[in-house]
């Protein structure tokens, strides 16, 4: 049977969440039962600290493109199974256990978030937001395992223009970035990891993380980025659910 | 309701009461059980505590929680003492203080009331009394009164509003400085010294009057509530301390951001040696390109690192003064307490008042006589059409040229009943002298500064957005009787602000563009259910060709001021700093906080201005919306 996650070369979006009742991936899976079933451990060799599992999320219809994945192949009774990743580890900087739920389908992530809220209403789950400005400041000074080849800035002084992206080998150290510094605020960045083909992970200030995943081992890229952000103290907890992005993006 | 519950205890206080608004947007008033405990919660941060209550507590507690305007921002009706103890334990350090009122059969058991007062902020300074011994009797009395007022204020703020630390410190420094000046002035007896002394004394009197009022407002509703008094009926039980903190947050953000850029100091330091610019090239009021990209535009000058710290106002609520700015105070309309989420009483109006102080400080730097310079030499330079040798000299002459233009246009306008040929040159008196300049300033400086304030406000606060700017301005003006009788001036002021973003060109073209934009937006404002004579009169004016031609002549006078403000005083870096906030997102091509009224996320906006502007378009107008009161208190609590 075709592996949907391998066949479906879609962009993954991830949600990062924390809750006092979730201190392992197993805890989260149990809370999301019965929508989430069948966890299978995935060893991501470049990120051994992360417990990564591949699970099925049951939804009332198949979201997969029919030309590649026949709905019947995913049917589980009245529902259709969608492969999702659930990963987790304790982040020392944030001081708590963080779980990542990743899927090509944002609506499934929204469903998982609302299920979690319903199952553990008090206290409400927290989501992870990112201080992009702190990350940019650190990245401009210190080399990392990845480079930043896109930075997105929020324009603060022009009502007709909201976001500007600078792309290139090193936009953070460009003259244009320096010139825009005083009238913009950092909004998002894209990290590129030096593998073949390159692995690119986007993150914005709200905690939306998205990347194109060419193979299961590439899951190491987003979690490595999250580890870095945690290390420099650029993560914080928020009640706000991310998953809001500029219209027109996938 | 709470008044009724508390009536038995405070009957001697003539039934004090305060409004309670359910914390959830569509909540309904609680049915009081026969016995229970009322918990008054004082938050370190009301937005954080609100988020805890709404998101982290069981639904039955959330549904029994109410918002208030006081320092005790949250009131919760609980089953009994144990429930109260459990609640306080769960909320932990997010509760800075509390007061518990057990009640039985509808009567509060006064003897059983318990409270815990907040701890004073660590390291709070002790402010020594300002010396009054060597000062004259009247001024000395004011100083002594100030010392007493400041002691009261400092004591309250240390416990209930430590974020306001800079205010008492600054007031102390300012009055200490005034006291020194008064001592020095006593040593001379000439008329100038006498006038200066009286002026300082007036400032002290005004400061004390506002300080007394502010102490009353910020000190209302402190623990224990039964002992705290606030003689304003509708908020008499719990006071308005929380709203004072919200107002401070808004003001402080504005003040600190502007102080960070130090424009007045930059003008003082950079203009003294900066290159002169051509004052008279744009005298035709047609081509202002000589000023574009001026090297002495504040936007191009590095911010000055100066030794002077931010100066402060006391922001307080007033039904008498509405929105008003004075040397040491900014008053905010009393109606904002319950209607800040309406177009008419929106808080963005504060920025206009704040900008008056900002513009006044810049103008004070420009008008300060430089060494050897006098108004006579200024008059000579203007007469000789000399832009001077420094940017300061140029700007001084430019101000005179602007005032001359305003006066000339005002003189000409009534004489142009609708003819096509409009004189472009304003009459220059044959022999302008120093006294003439002073007369000009007396007569027209007010309008000049208003235009500059409006231009800066249009860009700094409203981001150059026509609709929000016009709606905010005219919704609040629509309630002011003076506007109805003088609508031409207010239309002129609005057009002048809009002109700062019109495509450049001859003044008539710019005027027509601004008129079209104002008319378009004002029609929508005027179409609301409530009749607004000021807006109707403005629209009549904008649709009357004859009156528009006369107004265009007046606009010729103000356009010079608009271009001065735009090309020299507008700094987009400051604009960016006012709105910078990581909590905004971009949806549908628009930056927004994406925070519907009723949600509590526990994150105080870093840009109160940006937050309120984001909400403005959704505000009710005064005539509608039963939810305006909820939205008003909800949004102010987000700021604390």
């Amino acid at each position: 049977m075709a592996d949907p996650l391998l066949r479906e070369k879609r962009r993954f979006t991830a949600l990062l969440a924390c809750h006092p009742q979730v201190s392992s991936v197993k805890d989260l899976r149990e809370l999301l039962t019965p929508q989430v079933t069948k966890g299978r451990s995935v060893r991501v060799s470049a990120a051994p600290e992360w417990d990564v599992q591949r699970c099925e999320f049951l939804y009332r219809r198949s979201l997969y493109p029919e030309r590649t994945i026949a709905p019947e192949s995913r049917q589980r009774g009245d529902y259709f199974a969608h492969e999702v990743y659930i990963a987790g580890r304790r982040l020392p900087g944030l001081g708590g256990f963080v779980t990542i739920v990743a899927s090509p389908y944002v609506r499934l992530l929204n469903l998982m978030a609302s299920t979690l809220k319903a199952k553990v209403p008090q206290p409400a789950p927290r989501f992870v937001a990112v201080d992009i400005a702190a990350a940019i400041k650190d990245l401009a000074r210190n080399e990392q395992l990845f480079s930043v080849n896109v930075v997105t800035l929020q324009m603060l002084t022009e009502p007709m223009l909201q976001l500007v992206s600078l792309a290139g080998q090193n936009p953070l150290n460009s003259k244009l970035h320096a010139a825009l510094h005083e009238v913009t605020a950092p909004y998002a960045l894209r990290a590129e990891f030096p593998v073949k083909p390159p692995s690119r992970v986007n993150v914005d200030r709200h905690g939306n993380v998205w990347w194109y995943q060419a193979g299961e081992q590439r899951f190491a890229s987003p979690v490595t980025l999250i580890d870095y952000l945690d290390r420099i103290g650029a993560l914080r907890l928020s009640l706000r659910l991310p998953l809001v992005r500029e219209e027109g993006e996938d | 309701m709470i008044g009724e519950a508390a009536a038995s205890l405070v009957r001697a206080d003539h039934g004090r009461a305060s409004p309670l608004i359910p914390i959830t947007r569509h909540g309904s008033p609680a049915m009081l059980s026969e016995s229970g405990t009322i918990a008054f919660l004082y938050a370190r941060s009301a937005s954080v505590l609100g988020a805890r209550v709404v998101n982290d507590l069981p639904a039955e507690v959330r549904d029994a929680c109410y918002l208030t305007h006081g320092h005790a921002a949250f009131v919760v009706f609980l089953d009994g003492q144990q429930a109260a103890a459990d609640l306080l334990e769960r909320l932990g350090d997010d509760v800075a203080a509390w007061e518990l009122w057990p009640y039985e059969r509808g009567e509060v058991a006064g003897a059983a009331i318990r409270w815990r007062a907040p701890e004073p902020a660590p390291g709070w300074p002790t402010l020594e009394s300002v010396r009054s011994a060597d000062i004259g009797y009247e001024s000395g009395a004011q100083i002594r009164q100030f010392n007493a007022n400041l002691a009261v204020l400092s004591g309250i703020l240390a416990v209930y509003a430590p974020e306001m630390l800079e205010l008492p410190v600054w007031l102390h420094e300012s009055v200490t400085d005034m006291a020194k000046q008064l001592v020095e002035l006593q040593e001379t007896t000439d008329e100038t010294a006498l006038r200066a002394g009286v002026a300082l004394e007036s400032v002290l009197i005004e400061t004390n009057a506002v300080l007394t009022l502010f102490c009353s407002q910020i000190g209302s509703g402190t623990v224990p509530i039964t002992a705290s008094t606030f003689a304003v009926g509708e908020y008499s039980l719990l006071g308005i301390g929380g709203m004072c903190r919200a107002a401070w947050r808004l003001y402080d953000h504005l003040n600190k951001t502007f102080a960070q850029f130090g424009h007045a100091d930059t003008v003082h330091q950079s203009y003294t040696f900066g290159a002169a610019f051509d004052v008279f090239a744009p005298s035709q009021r047609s081509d202002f390109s000589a000023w574009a990209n001026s090297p002495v535009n504040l936007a191009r000058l590095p911010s000055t690192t100066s030794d002077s710290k931010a100066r402060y106002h006391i922001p307080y609520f007033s039904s008498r003064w509405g929105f008003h700015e004075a040397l040491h105070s900014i008053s905010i309309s009393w109606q904002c307490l319950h209607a800040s989420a309406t177009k008419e009483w929106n808080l963005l109006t504060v920025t206009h008042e704040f900008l008056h102080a900002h513009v006044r400080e810049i103008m004070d730097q420009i008008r300060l006589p430089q060494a050897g310079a006098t108004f006579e030499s200024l008059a000579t330079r203007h007469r000789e059409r000399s832009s001077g040798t420094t940017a300061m000299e140029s700007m001084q002459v430019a101000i005179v040229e602007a005032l001359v233009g305003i006066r000339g246009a005002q003189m000409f306008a009534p004489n142009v009943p609708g003819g096509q040929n409009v004189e472009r040159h304003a009459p220059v008196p044959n022999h302008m002298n120093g006294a003439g300049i002073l007369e000009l300033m007396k007569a027209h400086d007010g309008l000049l500064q208003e235009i500059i304030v409006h231009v800066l406000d249009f860009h700094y606060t409203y981001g150059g957005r026509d609709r929000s700017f016009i709606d905010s301005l005219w919704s609040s003006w629509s309630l002011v009787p003076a506007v109805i009788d003088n609508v031409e001036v207010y239309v002129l002021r609005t057009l002048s602000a809009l002109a700062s973003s019109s495509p450049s060109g001859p003044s008539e073209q710019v005027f027509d563009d601004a008129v079209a934009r104002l008319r378009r937006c004002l029609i929508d404002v005027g179409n609301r259910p409530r009749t607004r004579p000021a807006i109707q009169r403005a629209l009549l004016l904008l649709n009357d060709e004859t009156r528009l031609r006369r107004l265009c002549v007046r606009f010729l006078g103000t356009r010079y001021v608009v271009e001065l403000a735009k090309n020299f005083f507008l700094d987009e870096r400051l604009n960016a700093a006012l709105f910078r906030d990581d909590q905004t997102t971009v949806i549908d091509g628009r930056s927004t906080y994406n925070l519907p009224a009723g949600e509590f996320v526990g994150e105080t906006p870093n840009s109160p201005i940006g937050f309120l502007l984001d909400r403005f378009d959704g505000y009710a107008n005064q005539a509608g919306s039963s939810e305006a009161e909820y939205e008003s208190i909800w949004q102010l609590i987000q700021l604390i």
Side-chain angles (χ1 to χ4, degrees), chain A residues 7-142:
Chain A
R7 295 259 351 235
E8 186 183 33
K9 299 257 168 41
R10 292 285 303 274
R11 187 159 64 181
F12 274 75
T13 300
L15 183 67
L16 283 72
C18 293
H19 195 277
Q21 289 185 31
V22 176
S23 56
S24 68
V25 170
K26 180 166 168 282
D27 288 345
L28 183 63
R29 274 188 40 217
E30 282 173 2
L31 283 171
L32 295 177
T33 302
Q35 284 98 332
V36 170
T37 64
K38 290 194 181 177
R40 177 177 68 76
S41 263
V42 174
R43 191 170 175 277
V44 177
S45 52
E49 308 86 1
W50 286 86
D51 175 11
V52 182
Q53 297 189 17
R54 193 161 140 180
C55 308
E56 285 190 352
F57 184 91
L58 300 178
Y59 186 58
R60 53 188 159 78
R61 64 181 178 89
S62 174
L63 298 174
Y64 292 116
E66 285 190 30
R67 65 180 185 282
T68 52
I69 313 276
E72 312 79 67
S73 68
R74 307 303 301 165
Q75 195 156 8
R76 310 278 186 268
D78 293 334
Y79 295 90
F80 297 86
H82 299 78
E83 302 283 338
V84 299
Y85 287 106
I86 299 181
R89 72 164 286 193
R90 184 178 158 74
L91 288 178
L94 205 50
F97 191 87
V98 171
T99 47
I100 298 173
V101 184
S103 163
Y105 301 105
V106 171
R107 82 177 68 187
L108 297 187
L109 296 180
N110 270 313
L111 277 172
M112 280 191 263
S114 51
T115 303
L116 182 61
K117 274 191 190 176
K119 288 280 180 80
V120 282
Q122 293 106 36
R126 270 34 178 192
F127 303 98
V128 178
V130 181
D131 185 347
I132 298 286
I136 282 177
K137 204 169 162 184
D138 183 80
L139 287 163
R141 291 193 301 242
N142 303 310

Side-chain angles (χ1 to χ4, degrees), chain A residues 121-124 126 154 156-157 159 162-163 181-185 187 205-206 236 238-240 244 246-247, chain B residues 51 55-58 463 572-573 575-576 580-582 584-591 593-595 600-601 603:
Chain A
Q122 293 106 36
R126 270 34 178 192
Q154 181 187 23
L156 298 171
T157 56
Q162 302 305 319
L163 296 174
H181 172 69
E182 281 181 309
V183 292
T184 59
Y187 195 86
R205 62 159 76 137
H206 309 299
R236 62 177 177 85
S238 170
L239 276 162
R240 289 180 184 255
V244 172
E246 177 64 19
E247 204 174 84
Chain B
N55 296 287
D56 294 345
L57 298 184
E572 61 171 8
R573 298 169 302 178
N575 199 179
R580 184 169 282 113
D581 194 340
D582 271 9
T584 55
T585 185
V586 177
I587 297 178
D588 296 334
R590 197 179 141 255
S591 282
Y593 284 79
N594 194 31
L595 191 64
F600 286 80
V601 295
E603 294 172 2

Side-chain angles (χ1 to χ4, degrees), chain A residues 139-140 143 147-151 166-177:
Chain A
L139 287 163
E143 272 193 34
S147 59
V148 171
N149 57 14
V150 179
V151 60
L166 307 180
Q169 287 188 343
N170 194 353
L172 293 184
N173 287 318
S174 66
K175 283 184 193 165
L176 184 55
H177 185 239

Side-chain angles (χ1 to χ4, degrees), chain B residues 31 73 78 89 95 210 254 265 272 275 282 350 363 368 405 418 435 466 511-512 592 624 632:
Chain B
M31 300 296 291
L78 300 159
E89 191 181 333
V95 174
V210 172
L254 278 173
D265 286 338
T272 307
V350 162
M363 300 306 278
L368 280 176
D466 287 5
F511 178 79
D512 288 342
T592 174
S632 298

Side-chain angles (χ1 to χ4, degrees), chain B residues 388-434:
Chain B
T389 55
T390 66
M392 187 64 81
E393 288 181 348
S394 300
M395 188 55 76
Q396 289 169 342
V397 176
I399 297 296
V400 174
E401 174 68 3
L403 292 169
V404 165
I406 289 174
R407 182 181 65 179
Q410 196 160 298
M411 282 168 57
F412 263 119
N415 299 323
V416 183
Q420 292 291 333
N421 297 320
V422 175
E423 284 290 339
R424 290 173 187 267
H425 297 280
V428 177
N430 280 337
H431 295 289
M432 171 83 86
N433 56 18

